[in-house]
Structure formats: C-alpha cells, structure tokens
Amino acid sequence: MTEHLGLRERKKLQTRAALIDAALELCDKQGFDATTVDEIAAAVDISPRTFNRYFATKEEVVLGPIEDMVTAVVGALDDQPCTGNEIEALCKAHMQVFQDAQSQQPPSPLFDRFMVMNRIIATAPSVRARSVEMGEWKLNSVRHKVAERMELDESDLRVRVVMSTWSGLMHVAMDQWQSAQDDDRPPMVCCASAIANTYETFQGILPPQAVQEAVPAAQ
C-alpha cells in the first residue's frame, strides 16, 4: 500500500504506526488511565500537539488497528472482481489482507496489535465504549463498499442480507480460529484458513440449484 506513496506520505504512515505501537505498549504495561498523551508522544519523539494531528484522543490511538484493518479490507474489496457473489468477495478480501500481512518481511504486527488492543479494551471502559462506536463505523464502511459494488442503496434488503450473512460467517470463523490452539502455523495464516474453511462449509450446505434459482428472483 505504501510503495506508490511519496516520501512525506510514507513518513506520516510510519509516525502513525509508531504512535499506535507506543500507545499499545504503554497502556498494556502501565494501564490506560495511567498513561498520558505526553508519554505516548515522547516515546515517538514528537510533541503532544503533533500527536493531535494524527489522533484526537488517547482512545483513538489505542483503537488504531481497527481503522487500519477496515482500510485494508475495503482496499482489498476493490481488487475483487464483481461476479455477483459479494460474500465470496468479502471472504477473499479478508484472506488477502491476512495473507499480505504475513508475506511482508518482517510479517506485519497486525495480530499482535489486535491482541494487545483487546486486552486494553477489556480493562478500560472508555476504550470499550469507543470500540463499540468503531465497530459500527467498521460495519458501515464495509457495507458502503459492498453496496457500491452491487450498485444498490445501502438500505437495500440484498445488501443487508449479504452483510448479515457475512457477519455470521466471520463469527463462526473467529470461533474456529480461537479454538485451534494446537495449530503451529502463524496466527494470520490460521485466521485466513479459518475464514476459507467456514466459507467452504457455507457453500457446501447450499443446494446449487436453489442458489441458481434465487438469483433471478432477487432481481
């Protein structure tokens, strides 16, 4: 994502990532309430004023991984062909994000950041409350892209069915991934595999003839 950006834009992304890492490390170690914006900024050698150019609040920097994930998924959806199967496109887009993160050298800290972020969410009510709002933003961002791909309004029933179905599949996939504790593969590889397996199972329980007949009816 960064190879086509100019030097200034790349430096901004690097500073943003450094702020997220510093915030997660400090808040995880000494507690969210005990950590100040001044400390986070100092860890990256910038001023608190410069911090506010990247994040409005301490909650937002801790939840930065959510924004990064959504941006990556929406970008990956743009790479998927419009075949009429948006659930498959969502599956492949998420797998692409995890596979791309794992293929980086060194691998992206995507999952490490999420695990630390979740620990902080569990102990900090203000972060937990903001994470709920971020979850809504995440859902809306992906739904907007899916509706755009389907050339439909976001409130259209077909868009809502796609998003609800995908949400259910992701819940199952994440449960499958978290329960596979004896899998020695890297976490991002395991997660991508869980998504693929869940979607394949979903395909397997749908009668092909029923799916083909449902398409004209939806139109």
Side-chain angles (χ1 to χ4, degrees), residues 123-193:
T123 60
S126 64
V127 181
R128 185 160 58 249
R130 179 59 179 149
S131 72
V132 173
E133 297 175 3
M134 287 290 289
E136 288 298 315
W137 172 79
K138 174 183 176 181
L139 178 64
N140 291 338
S141 298
V142 177
R143 180 170 56 227
H144 177 77
K145 176 57 64 174
V146 168
E148 179 182 284
R149 287 169 54 87
M150 297 177 73
E151 299 182 345
L152 296 170
D153 188 90
E154 291 181 44
S155 63
D156 190 284
L157 181 59
R158 287 163 288 185
V159 175
R160 292 169 58 194
V161 168
V162 167
M163 292 303 300
S164 295
T165 302
W166 175 248
S167 178
L169 291 175
M170 276 296 285
H171 278 298
V172 173
M174 292 303 97
D175 286 344
Q176 180 186 345
W177 169 60
Q178 292 171 358
S179 64
Q181 298 182 4
D182 57 344
D183 196 323
D184 295 329
R185 295 176 299 173
M188 285 178 283
V189 174
C190 294
C191 190
S193 178

Side-chain angles (χ1 to χ4, degrees), residues 1-184:
M1 292 178 62
T2 61
E3 60 185 7
H4 301 300
L5 299 176
L7 178 60
R8 185 176 181 181
E9 287 74 17
R10 290 200 301 272
K11 285 187 174 181
K12 284 183 177 180
L13 288 176
Q14 290 168 359
T15 300
R16 184 181 182 280
L19 284 169
I20 291 172
D21 287 335
L24 291 173
E25 181 179 357
L26 288 168
C27 292
D28 190 40
K29 181 186 298 183
Q30 59 192 33
F32 178 80
D33 292 333
T35 303
T36 66
V37 167
D38 286 7
E39 287 179 299
I40 298 169
V44 184
D45 198 23
I46 63 172
S47 68
R49 183 175 180 178
T50 301
F51 171 94
N52 288 326
R53 295 175 185 170
Y54 290 87
F55 299 99
T57 65
K58 194 170 54 170
E59 285 83 2
E60 288 190 10
V61 67
V62 169
L63 296 171
I66 295 177
E67 182 179 351
D68 292 343
M69 173 69 81
V70 172
T71 300
V73 168
V74 170
L77 272 172
D78 282 332
D79 295 336
Q80 301 302 316
C82 292
T83 63
N85 188 339
E86 289 305 310
I87 296 176
E88 182 175 88
L90 283 162
C91 174
K92 290 183 176 179
H94 281 76
M95 289 176 60
Q96 178 182 321
V97 169
F98 298 136
Q99 290 167 349
D100 288 350
Q102 181 59 35
S103 67
Q104 293 178 23
Q105 294 299 326
S108 165
L110 178 69
F111 267 80
D112 291 337
R113 287 174 177 165
F114 260 89
M115 286 189 287
V116 176
M117 180 188 73
N118 286 333
R119 285 201 297 269
I120 297 170
I121 289 173
T123 60
S126 64
V127 181
R128 185 160 58 249
R130 179 59 179 149
S131 72
V132 173
E133 297 175 3
M134 287 290 289
E136 288 298 315
W137 172 79
K138 174 183 176 181
L139 178 64
N140 291 338
S141 298
V142 177
R143 180 170 56 227
H144 177 77
K145 176 57 64 174
V146 168
E148 179 182 284
R149 287 169 54 87
M150 297 177 73
E151 299 182 345
L152 296 170
D153 188 90
E154 291 181 44
S155 63
D156 190 284
L157 181 59
R158 287 163 288 185
V159 175
R160 292 169 58 194
V161 168
V162 167
M163 292 303 300
S164 295
T165 302
W166 175 248
S167 178
L169 291 175
M170 276 296 285
H171 278 298
V172 173
M174 292 303 97
D175 286 344
Q176 180 186 345
W177 169 60
Q178 292 171 358
S179 64
Q181 298 182 4
D182 57 344
D183 196 323
D184 295 329

